[in-house]
Amino acid sequence: MLLQTRQLSAFYGDFQALFGIDFQLEAGEIVAIIGANGAGKSTFLKTLMGLLAAPHEAVRFDGRAIGGLATGRIVERGIVLVPEGRRLFPSLSVEENLRMGAYGGRPGRWNLQEVYALFPILREKRLAPSTSLSGGQQQMVAVARALMSNPKLLLCDETSLGLAPIVVKDIYAALARVTGEGLSAIIVEQDVGLAQRASSRLYCFQEGRVSLTGRSDELSREQISHAYFGI
Amino acid sequence: MLNWLDTLVQGILLGGLYALFAIGQSLILGVMRLTNVAHGDFIILGAFGGFALISGVPGTALTGFGLNPVLTLLLMLPLAAGVGYALQRGVLNGALGADPMPTLVVTFGLSIIIQNLLLEVFSADTRSISALGIETQSLPLGESIHIGVLPLIIFLLALVATFMMEWVFRHTNLGRAFRATSDDIDAAQLMGVDHRHIYALATAIAFVLIAVAGMLQGLRTTFAPSDGPGLLLYAFEAVIIGGLGSFWGTFAGGILLGVSQSVGFRIDPGWGILIGHMVFLTMLMVRPSGLFPKTR
C-alpha cells in the first residue's frame, strides 16, 4: 500500500469539506477521482499535500503517517501536485520553473534532460517567459516541473481543463508513458470518459464523501451518473 | 558650468549612499510585499551599534573594542544577519498576510521602540564614527573638481551590493526561490519551499545591507536617535522611483534622488531635501510604476 487515508476529514475554517474519506492506492496504480464541482476532489489533494490540516494518522504514505506535515516535508517524502490552473511562476523562465521543481533535491531519474526528452517543445522554449507559452505548453511545464521533484506519487488536478482535445491527448500520452515506468498517480478529472480510460480504479466523490468506487473498466455509465449527481 | 558638473558628481556620490539605504528595503518589499517602517531606525541602530563597538556606551562602564571601522563592520555583519533572521521568524512572519496593516503597525511599533531605546542609552546627542582620516581625503578629478575618497568608496560599495543582489536573484537557487515565493506562495510551497525560512533569509540579507548602510552613514556624517524616519523616506523614495522588483532600478532611484538634492542645495541651501521630495512626487505622477518596473 503506497497511500492510504482513513476517515480523513478536512475543513476550510468552520466549513467541513471532506467527511471521513477512506482511500487506498497501491504502488504503480493510477487512480482517478471524479465528481461534480465542489465535491471535494481538489480539497482531498490539498489535504494530502499538507496545504490543509489533517490528523497525523489519517494519511499514511509509504508506511509512515504524514497527515498534517508541512508541505515541504511531504514533497521530500515523494508526493507532488500538479495544481489546478498550472500555477507557473510568471516572473521565471520555463527552465527556471522546471528547476524550482527540483528545489527539494530528491534524487531520481528526472532531470532537465529527461523532461526535455519527454516534452521536446520545452527545450526550444526553455528561455522564454513561462507566460508566453500556449495553455497546452504551460500544462507541460507544470507536469514536467512536478516530475523534476522525482516523486513516487504524482497528483494531477484538472489537467485537461481548458485545453484543446488534441493537446489533452498529448499530455495524457506523456503521463501514460511516465506511469508505465512505475510512477503512481492520482488523476482528478471532470471528463469522466478520460478518467475511466486513463485509470485502473476510480473513486467518485459527492459532497465530500466517496459515493462510488471500483475498477474503471467495470463501472457502468448508470452507476457513475448516479454516484456523480446523486439521482 | 564646472560648478554644475561638480554638483552632479557630488549628487551621484550622495545617491550611492541612498541606494545602499534602499536595497535592503527593495529586497524585503520585492520578496514578501512587506513595508518595513522601521528600516531607517534599523540603519541608525546599525550606526549606533558600530559606534558602541568602537568607543563604548557613553556614561557607562562599557568600553568599545577600539577596532577600526572595517573590522568592526565585519564583526557586525553576522550579528545583523542573525537579528534579521530572528526578527522575521519570531515577529514579522506572524504579522504577514493578505492585509498589509498588521506589518505596518508592528514595524511602526519597532520604529518607536528603537528610537526611544537609543535615546535612553545614548541620549539625544549627535554622534559620529571616525574614519581614521579617510573622511578628509579626496582625489582630484580634472582641474577644479575633487571627489571625496569616502563618498567614492560608499558609491562603489552600493554598486557592488546592487550587482551582487541582482546576481543572486538571477543565478542562484536562493534567488529563484525568492522570485518564485514572491510570484505565488502556494505554488512555491508545493515545490517544497518553506516560505517562512525564505522570508527570514531575505530579511537576514536585508539586515546585512542595513548594517553596512548604518556604518557608512556614521562614517560619512553625524547621526542621532531620531534620524531614522528621514532615512526611511529616502530609501522608500529610491525604491519607488526605481520601480518595484528591480535592484538596478533602486540604484538608479537612489542616484536620481541624490542628484536632485544636490542640485537643490546648489540653488539654495534650504531647498535640497525639498527638491528631492518634489522630484519623487513628480515621478509618482508621471511614471507611477517607476523607472524599471519588473516586466510581468
Side-chain angles (χ1 to χ4, degrees):
Chain A
M1 190 79 62
L2 186 64
L3 178 79
Q4 180 173 38
T5 73
R6 223 180 259 149
Q7 288 299 308
L8 177 65
S9 296
F11 298 83
Y12 291 103
D14 287 337
F15 174 75
Q16 185 165 6
L18 295 181
F19 299 83
I21 302 280
D22 288 316
F23 184 97
Q24 295 182 351
L25 180 138
E26 300 287 344
E29 236 187 338
I30 316 296
V31 174
I33 303 176
I34 59 171
N37 275 334
K41 308 181 298 289
S42 295
T43 305
F44 180 66
L45 298 189
K46 277 187 199 160
T47 311
L48 294 183
M49 289 308 301
L51 289 174
L52 285 177
H56 190 52
E57 286 293 332
V59 186
R60 295 189 69 82
F61 177 71
D62 217 5
R64 289 151 89 183
I66 61 160
L69 287 185
T71 305
R73 298 288 89 73
I74 291 174
V75 174
E76 278 172 18
R77 298 280 172 87
I79 310 184
V80 71
L81 171 67
V82 182
E84 182 180 356
R86 306 182 280 267
R87 303 292 283 270
L88 301 184
F89 302 111
S91 62
L92 272 58
S93 71
V94 168
E95 187 159 300
E96 286 176 324
N97 265 280
L98 297 176
R99 284 185 190 279
M100 277 309 294
Y103 184 83
R106 258 178 75 86
R109 68 160 283 201
W110 293 102
N111 53 38
L112 280 176
Q113 296 316 313
E114 290 287 325
V115 297
Y116 286 149
L118 185 67
F119 298 115
I121 183 73
L122 298 187
R123 187 194 297 275
E124 284 170 42
K125 304 268 184 184
R126 67 183 194 277
L127 299 179
S130 55
T131 46
S132 70
L133 270 56
S134 71
Q137 291 166 350
Q138 289 191 21
Q139 190 67 63
M140 289 174 194
V141 176
V143 171
R145 183 179 68 175
L147 290 175
M148 288 287 286
S149 74
N150 283 302
K152 287 180 185 163
L153 173 61
L154 181 70
L155 314 180
C156 295
D157 196 356
E158 306 276 12
T159 304
S160 69
L161 199 69
L163 300 182
I166 179 84
V167 178
V168 173
K169 216 176 130 204
D170 281 354
I171 288 174
Y172 267 87
L175 277 177
R177 218 178 322 153
V178 172
T179 51
E181 295 171 16
L183 179 67
S184 312
I186 299 176
I187 297 167
V188 164
E189 263 300 339
Q190 296 265 1
D191 182 338
V192 176
L194 186 62
Q196 268 185 296
R197 282 195 302 280
S199 64
S200 57
R201 280 193 309 120
L202 185 148
Y203 284 78
C204 185
F205 281 20
Q206 190 193 328
E207 291 176 351
R209 295 178 173 85
V210 174
S211 57
L212 177 72
T213 175
R215 289 191 54 82
S216 304
D217 47 6
E218 290 172 357
L219 294 172
S220 70
R221 280 269 151 183
E222 290 70 36
Q223 279 175 303
I224 289 175
S225 61
H226 178 74
Y228 203 99
F229 299 109
I231 43 169
Chain B
M1 185 59 218
L2 215 49
N3 282 342
W4 284 104
L5 191 62
D6 183 48
T7 303
L8 183 68
V9 171
Q10 305 307 336
I12 289 172
L13 294 180
L14 179 63
L17 185 65
Y18 293 163
L20 260 180
F21 290 166
I23 296 167
Q25 181 85 326
S26 181
L27 170 67
I28 290 182
L29 202 58
V31 171
M32 61 191 106
R33 311 276 183 276
L34 186 154
T35 304
N36 179 7
V37 180
H39 187 78
D41 301 293
F42 278 114
I43 294 174
I44 295 299
L45 184 66
F48 273 104
F51 176 80
L53 279 173
I54 293 170
S55 1
V57 179
T60 69
L62 293 172
T63 54
F65 298 116
L67 295 170
N68 73 48
V70 175
L71 282 176
T72 306
L73 182 58
L74 288 179
L75 274 180
M76 283 167 65
L77 295 185
L79 194 70
V83 169
Y85 192 95
L87 179 74
Q88 186 66 41
R89 281 225 83 143
V91 181
L92 297 179
N93 274 345
L96 274 174
D99 180 6
M101 207 47 163
T103 53
L104 289 175
V105 173
V106 167
T107 53
F108 185 64
L110 283 173
S111 161
I112 293 170
I113 291 170
I114 292 168
Q115 284 181 41
N116 285 283
L117 214 58
L118 289 176
L119 206 56
E120 190 64 34
V121 176
F122 292 96
S123 83
D125 294 351
T126 52
R127 312 277 175 184
S128 67
I129 302 172
S130 164
L132 309 175
I134 292 175
E135 60 265 54
T136 54
Q137 290 175 17
S138 64
L139 300 167
L141 188 77
E143 286 286 297
S144 62
I145 299 175
H146 285 73
I147 53 176
V149 171
L150 185 62
L152 183 64
I153 291 173
I154 294 172
F155 178 84
L156 292 176
L157 277 174
L159 206 60
V160 169
T162 309
F163 180 82
M164 278 178 63
M165 286 314 301
E166 199 72 42
W167 185 83
V168 165
F169 258 59
R170 294 297 138 205
H171 299 291
T172 67
N173 281 329
L174 180 64
R176 257 197 310 277
F178 279 153
R179 284 186 290 147
T181 311
S182 166
D183 276 357
D184 188 335
I185 179 167
D186 289 334
Q189 278 178 274
L190 286 173
M191 304 295 113
V193 173
D194 178 357
H195 64 285
R196 291 159 304 180
H197 177 62
I198 289 295
Y199 285 172
L201 287 179
T203 308
I205 295 175
F207 268 60
V208 165
L209 293 165
I210 281 174
V212 174
M215 175 60 89
L216 293 175
Q217 168 78 354
L219 290 172
R220 185 172 166 142
T221 180
T222 59
F223 53 93
S226 58
D227 284 357
L231 303 191
L232 167 74
L233 208 53
Y234 297 156
F236 205 61
E237 287 178 350
V239 173
I240 300 296
I241 291 173
L244 288 180
S246 159
F247 291 108
W248 286 117
T250 301
F251 183 81
I255 302 298
L256 185 61
L257 194 62
V259 170
S260 308
Q261 288 190 2
S262 182
V263 168
F265 280 123
R266 169 114 220 133
I267 297 168
D268 183 302
W271 282 15
I273 309 284
L274 178 65
I275 288 201
H277 293 329
M278 280 165 60
V279 166
F280 164 70
L281 284 175
T282 311
M283 278 299 297
L284 259 191
M285 281 188 289
V286 178
R287 220 181 142 87
S289 58
L291 290 172
F292 306 103
K294 187 162 65 175
T295 48
R296 270 257 193 114

mmCIF file of all heavy atoms in Angstrom, chain B residues 62-84:
data_model
loop_
_atom_site.group_PDB
_atom_site.id
_atom_site.type_symbol
_atom_site.label_atom_id
_atom_site.label_comp_id
_atom_site.label_asym_id
_atom_site.label_seq_id
_atom_site.Cartn_x
_atom_site.Cartn_y
_atom_site.Cartn_z
ATOM 1 N N LEU B 62 30.833 50.494 30.019
ATOM 2 C CA LEU B 62 31.106 49.736 28.798
ATOM 3 C C LEU B 62 32.066 50.504 27.897
ATOM 4 O O LEU B 62 31.802 51.642 27.521
ATOM 5 C CB LEU B 62 29.807 49.474 28.042
ATOM 6 C CG LEU B 62 28.803 48.545 28.728
ATOM 7 C CD1 LEU B 62 27.495 48.532 27.958
ATOM 8 C CD2 LEU B 62 29.383 47.143 28.839
ATOM 9 N N THR B 63 33.187 49.877 27.592
ATOM 10 C CA THR B 63 34.109 50.481 26.637
ATOM 11 C C THR B 63 34.130 49.635 25.373
ATOM 12 O O THR B 63 33.842 48.448 25.418
ATOM 13 C CB THR B 63 35.534 50.542 27.220
ATOM 14 O OG1 THR B 63 35.897 49.230 27.628
ATOM 15 C CG2 THR B 63 35.606 51.487 28.399
ATOM 16 N N GLY B 64 34.434 50.285 24.266
ATOM 17 C CA GLY B 64 34.430 49.563 22.998
ATOM 18 C C GLY B 64 35.724 48.784 22.799
ATOM 19 O O GLY B 64 36.628 48.807 23.627
ATOM 20 N N PHE B 65 35.779 48.091 21.660
ATOM 21 C CA PHE B 65 36.978 47.324 21.342
ATOM 22 C C PHE B 65 38.041 48.188 20.692
ATOM 23 O O PHE B 65 39.191 47.788 20.581
ATOM 24 C CB PHE B 65 36.626 46.165 20.403
ATOM 25 C CG PHE B 65 35.664 45.192 21.004
ATOM 26 C CD1 PHE B 65 34.402 45.011 20.457
ATOM 27 C CD2 PHE B 65 36.010 44.463 22.132
ATOM 28 C CE1 PHE B 65 33.511 44.110 21.019
ATOM 29 C CE2 PHE B 65 35.124 43.558 22.704
ATOM 30 C CZ PHE B 65 33.871 43.388 22.148
ATOM 31 N N GLY B 66 37.643 49.381 20.215
ATOM 32 C CA GLY B 66 38.594 50.288 19.600
ATOM 33 C C GLY B 66 39.159 49.802 18.277
ATOM 34 O O GLY B 66 40.200 50.262 17.835
ATOM 35 N N LEU B 67 38.455 48.837 17.660
ATOM 36 C CA LEU B 67 38.921 48.357 16.358
ATOM 37 C C LEU B 67 38.632 49.395 15.282
ATOM 38 O O LEU B 67 37.830 50.302 15.482
ATOM 39 C CB LEU B 67 38.216 47.048 15.998
ATOM 40 C CG LEU B 67 38.523 45.849 16.905
ATOM 41 C CD1 LEU B 67 37.578 44.705 16.587
ATOM 42 C CD2 LEU B 67 39.970 45.413 16.719
ATOM 43 N N ASN B 68 39.263 49.244 14.105
ATOM 44 C CA ASN B 68 38.965 50.189 13.037
ATOM 45 C C ASN B 68 37.596 49.873 12.434
ATOM 46 O O ASN B 68 37.070 48.761 12.616
ATOM 47 C CB ASN B 68 40.078 50.225 11.995
ATOM 48 C CG ASN B 68 40.102 48.986 11.129
ATOM 49 O OD1 ASN B 68 39.059 48.560 10.612
ATOM 50 N ND2 ASN B 68 41.267 48.391 10.981
ATOM 51 N N PRO B 69 36.978 50.842 11.733
ATOM 52 C CA PRO B 69 35.589 50.667 11.257
ATOM 53 C C PRO B 69 35.393 49.436 10.383
ATOM 54 O O PRO B 69 34.344 48.794 10.459
ATOM 55 C CB PRO B 69 35.321 51.951 10.469
ATOM 56 C CG PRO B 69 36.255 52.958 11.054
ATOM 57 C CD PRO B 69 37.481 52.198 11.446
ATOM 58 N N VAL B 70 36.382 49.085 9.569
ATOM 59 C CA VAL B 70 36.199 47.948 8.665
ATOM 60 C C VAL B 70 36.085 46.642 9.456
ATOM 61 O O VAL B 70 35.167 45.841 9.241
ATOM 62 C CB VAL B 70 37.371 47.863 7.660
ATOM 63 C CG1 VAL B 70 37.240 46.610 6.807
ATOM 64 C CG2 VAL B 70 37.407 49.106 6.789
ATOM 65 N N LEU B 71 36.995 46.438 10.420
ATOM 66 C CA LEU B 71 36.942 45.227 11.240
ATOM 67 C C LEU B 71 35.652 45.198 12.063
ATOM 68 O O LEU B 71 35.020 44.150 12.224
ATOM 69 C CB LEU B 71 38.157 45.165 12.170
ATOM 70 C CG LEU B 71 39.470 44.723 11.512
ATOM 71 C CD1 LEU B 71 40.617 44.788 12.519
ATOM 72 C CD2 LEU B 71 39.330 43.309 10.962
ATOM 73 N N THR B 72 35.288 46.370 12.584
ATOM 74 C CA THR B 72 34.054 46.454 13.372
ATOM 75 C C THR B 72 32.850 46.045 12.532
ATOM 76 O O THR B 72 31.988 45.286 12.980
ATOM 77 C CB THR B 72 33.861 47.899 13.885
ATOM 78 O OG1 THR B 72 35.050 48.292 14.583
ATOM 79 C CG2 THR B 72 32.672 47.973 14.828
ATOM 80 N N LEU B 73 32.814 46.529 11.293
ATOM 81 C CA LEU B 73 31.697 46.198 10.410
ATOM 82 C C LEU B 73 31.664 44.695 10.133
ATOM 83 O O LEU B 73 30.607 44.071 10.160
ATOM 84 C CB LEU B 73 31.819 46.977 9.094
ATOM 85 C CG LEU B 73 30.690 46.764 8.084
ATOM 86 C CD1 LEU B 73 29.347 47.116 8.686
ATOM 87 C CD2 LEU B 73 30.926 47.585 6.819
ATOM 88 N N LEU B 74 32.847 44.103 9.924
ATOM 89 C CA LEU B 74 32.902 42.661 9.677
ATOM 90 C C LEU B 74 32.354 41.876 10.876
ATOM 91 O O LEU B 74 31.709 40.849 10.714
ATOM 92 C CB LEU B 74 34.334 42.221 9.374
ATOM 93 C CG LEU B 74 34.860 42.664 8.004
ATOM 94 C CD1 LEU B 74 36.299 42.203 7.808
ATOM 95 C CD2 LEU B 74 33.973 42.117 6.889
ATOM 96 N N LEU B 75 32.620 42.408 12.093
ATOM 97 C CA LEU B 75 32.058 41.785 13.289
ATOM 98 C C LEU B 75 30.533 41.901 13.304
ATOM 99 O O LEU B 75 29.825 41.002 13.749
ATOM 100 C CB LEU B 75 32.593 42.482 14.545
ATOM 101 C CG LEU B 75 33.908 42.015 15.121
ATOM 102 C CD1 LEU B 75 34.252 42.844 16.370
ATOM 103 C CD2 LEU B 75 33.818 40.547 15.509
ATOM 104 N N MET B 76 30.043 43.039 12.822
ATOM 105 C CA MET B 76 28.608 43.324 12.901
ATOM 106 C C MET B 76 27.783 42.498 11.907
ATOM 107 O O MET B 76 26.614 42.215 12.164
ATOM 108 C CB MET B 76 28.349 44.820 12.631
ATOM 109 C CG MET B 76 28.685 45.727 13.804
ATOM 110 S SD MET B 76 28.727 47.457 13.269
ATOM 111 C CE MET B 76 27.002 47.713 12.806
ATOM 112 N N LEU B 77 28.396 42.127 10.763
ATOM 113 C CA LEU B 77 27.593 41.508 9.696
ATOM 114 C C LEU B 77 26.891 40.219 10.123
ATOM 115 O O LEU B 77 25.680 40.099 9.945
ATOM 116 C CB LEU B 77 28.454 41.282 8.449
ATOM 117 C CG LEU B 77 28.951 42.564 7.775
ATOM 118 C CD1 LEU B 77 29.684 42.237 6.486
ATOM 119 C CD2 LEU B 77 27.816 43.541 7.514
ATOM 120 N N PRO B 78 27.625 39.235 10.712
ATOM 121 C CA PRO B 78 26.901 38.022 11.124
ATOM 122 C C PRO B 78 25.851 38.310 12.191
ATOM 123 O O PRO B 78 24.775 37.704 12.190
ATOM 124 C CB PRO B 78 28.016 37.113 11.673
ATOM 125 C CG PRO B 78 29.212 37.955 11.830
ATOM 126 C CD PRO B 78 29.060 39.148 10.945
ATOM 127 N N LEU B 79 26.166 39.260 13.071
ATOM 128 C CA LEU B 79 25.208 39.649 14.110
ATOM 129 C C LEU B 79 23.926 40.191 13.461
ATOM 130 O O LEU B 79 22.805 39.820 13.829
ATOM 131 C CB LEU B 79 25.853 40.722 14.989
ATOM 132 C CG LEU B 79 25.179 41.028 16.316
ATOM 133 C CD1 LEU B 79 25.357 39.853 17.263
ATOM 134 C CD2 LEU B 79 25.780 42.288 16.935
ATOM 135 N N ALA B 80 24.115 41.084 12.464
ATOM 136 C CA ALA B 80 22.957 41.687 11.784
ATOM 137 C C ALA B 80 22.132 40.614 11.082
ATOM 138 O O ALA B 80 20.896 40.629 11.156
ATOM 139 C CB ALA B 80 23.440 42.733 10.772
ATOM 140 N N ALA B 81 22.813 39.668 10.423
ATOM 141 C CA ALA B 81 22.082 38.603 9.728
ATOM 142 C C ALA B 81 21.261 37.798 10.726
ATOM 143 O O ALA B 81 20.092 37.465 10.473
ATOM 144 C CB ALA B 81 23.068 37.695 8.980
ATOM 145 N N GLY B 82 21.850 37.496 11.882
ATOM 146 C CA GLY B 82 21.144 36.742 12.912
ATOM 147 C C GLY B 82 19.933 37.487 13.432
ATOM 148 O O GLY B 82 18.845 36.922 13.579
ATOM 149 N N VAL B 83 20.113 38.799 13.691
ATOM 150 C CA VAL B 83 18.994 39.612 14.170
ATOM 151 C C VAL B 83 17.883 39.639 13.126
ATOM 152 O O VAL B 83 16.698 39.473 13.446
ATOM 153 C CB VAL B 83 19.461 41.052 14.493
ATOM 154 C CG1 VAL B 83 18.272 41.971 14.720
ATOM 155 C CG2 VAL B 83 20.358 41.056 15.717
ATOM 156 N N GLY B 84 18.251 39.825 11.860
ATOM 157 C CA GLY B 84 17.251 39.872 10.790
ATOM 158 C C GLY B 84 16.482 38.563 10.692
ATOM 159 O O GLY B 84 15.254 38.555 10.617
#
